[in-house]
Amino acid sequence: LFPGAFSCCMKISDEISKGILRRVERFEIQKAGGLCHLEAVILHMKGRKFCVNPWNREVEKIMKKMKHKIHRRKYHVRKQRRTRRIK
């Protein structure tokens, strides 16, 4: 990642271990253009970031799985009822 105000991936990895993929908490997609010249996926783990090739099959699978989890969680959140205060 590029140190400074912007966090751009300056180079990407084509291979990534399954152990790292299992510990991914979230991901970001970096588009080519503007200040960042590479298209990449930034995988976030506890205190670490990895820049990987967005066309890697394993990375595509984990992104799809995580999007599905987020999507599912979003719609199953129950709204809390308002409770009335009785005087």
Side-chain angles (χ1 to χ4, degrees):
L1 294 170
F2 182 79
F6 301 100
S7 58
C8 288
C9 294
M10 300 311 280
K11 56 184 182 173
I12 56 174
S13 300
D14 287 321
E15 297 294 322
I16 189 137
S17 73
K18 291 185 185 209
I20 290 172
L21 288 173
R22 276 190 231 117
R23 292 181 279 156
V24 171
E25 295 172 349
R26 65 185 179 91
F27 67 90
E28 290 177 62
I29 298 172
Q30 173 182 300
K31 301 280 185 191
L35 294 172
C36 305
H37 70 280
L38 279 176
E39 198 167 313
V41 175
I42 305 170
L43 302 176
H44 294 267
M45 292 174 34
K46 241 181 209 170
R48 297 186 80 183
K49 295 177 185 179
F50 291 94
C51 297
V52 293
N53 187 342
W55 306 112
N56 181 319
R57 278 188 185 239
E58 296 300 319
V59 172
E60 286 178 348
K61 282 181 192 177
I62 196 88
M63 286 170 37
K64 195 172 190 178
K65 188 177 180 182
M66 290 183 86
K67 278 186 183 178
H68 181 67
K69 279 184 184 178
I70 293 165
H71 179 73
R72 213 173 61 217
R73 193 180 309 140
K74 188 188 257 183
Y75 290 104
H76 287 90
V77 173
R78 294 179 75 186
K79 289 184 180 178
Q80 282 187 321
R81 283 185 167 174
R82 281 190 168 174
T83 54
R84 276 185 156 171
R85 285 184 120 172
I86 301 172
K87 292 181 183 180

